[in-house]
Amino acid sequence: MNLHIYQGGTSDIGNLYELLVDFSIFLRAGENFTMSLETLLEEKDSFSFLLATCNGIIVGFAIYTLSFFSWSGKTLFLDDLYVIEEFRGKKIGTALFERLVIIASEKGCTKIRWQVPEWNDKAISFYQKRGGIMKSKDYTYDLFI
């Protein structure tokens, strides 16, 4: 297996979009996915992302932003990390996550923050094995504008 993790760019956004559609279906939230490819392209300066390829096939991604939290300072916020089903269990998610740790360290972040659906036991286990600590069961609110 020839795994390659790289920082995505504008030419990769179409591939990222396809993975985001798949991810929304996996999360059982396809009806809530309102992102269009055009909007993703317009907003490309608002986020960063990594892509994972295996033998030249794009098999996963991690999308993130840098944020500031008043109690802890600069933080890398991991919005989504996803590996397509047939490539799970091959340490691709681990490689993506480890690269995020390096990026967060290089950017001077004090932590990485993410959210996991409470039903996704595999993701919860994945993050706990990497030292993730559930801080609270706060509710997440959205106000659509």
Side-chain angles (χ1 to χ4, degrees):
M1 177 176 79
N2 184 13
L3 177 63
H4 178 60
I5 306 292
Y6 67 96
Q7 192 72 47
T10 302
S11 64
D12 298 303
I13 290 189
N15 293 319
L16 175 64
Y17 181 77
E18 290 178 20
L19 289 167
L20 284 168
V21 171
D22 288 347
F23 185 50
S24 71
I25 294 166
F26 168 76
L27 287 178
R28 307 172 192 163
E31 70 280 355
N32 295 326
F33 185 75
T34 60
M35 179 60 65
S36 69
L37 176 57
E38 293 75 22
T39 301
L40 200 60
L41 282 163
E42 289 170 9
E43 298 295 332
K44 68 182 181 333
D45 295 332
S46 300
F47 63 91
S48 298
F49 65 101
L50 300 173
L51 288 176
T53 63
C54 183
N55 300 327
I57 301 166
I58 296 175
V59 298
F61 75 93
I63 187 168
Y64 64 95
T65 58
L66 295 179
S67 298
F68 179 84
F69 290 94
S70 58
W71 289 18
S72 57
K74 191 188 291 186
T75 298
L76 187 146
F77 182 78
L78 171 57
D79 188 45
D80 293 318
L81 188 151
Y82 178 67
V83 175
I84 59 176
E85 188 170 2
E86 56 267 29
F87 285 88
R88 292 187 195 142
K90 300 181 186 308
K91 306 291 184 191
I92 296 166
T94 299
L96 284 164
F97 192 78
E98 288 173 351
R99 181 67 61 88
L100 289 170
V101 171
I102 292 168
I103 292 168
S105 178
E106 290 174 349
K107 300 280 186 187
C109 296
T110 60
K111 66 181 177 183
I112 298 173
R113 177 172 276 181
W114 63 89
Q115 297 172 309
V116 178
E118 62 186 349
W119 59 264
N120 195 342
D121 295 332
K122 288 183 179 180
I124 292 167
S125 176
F126 172 85
Y127 290 119
Q128 287 175 339
K129 287 178 185 174
R130 279 140 196 90
I133 301 167
M134 184 175 63
K135 298 301 286 181
S136 68
K137 291 193 176 201
D138 295 336
Y139 294 100
T140 300
Y141 289 87
D142 289 326
L143 174 64
F144 291 98
I145 302 173

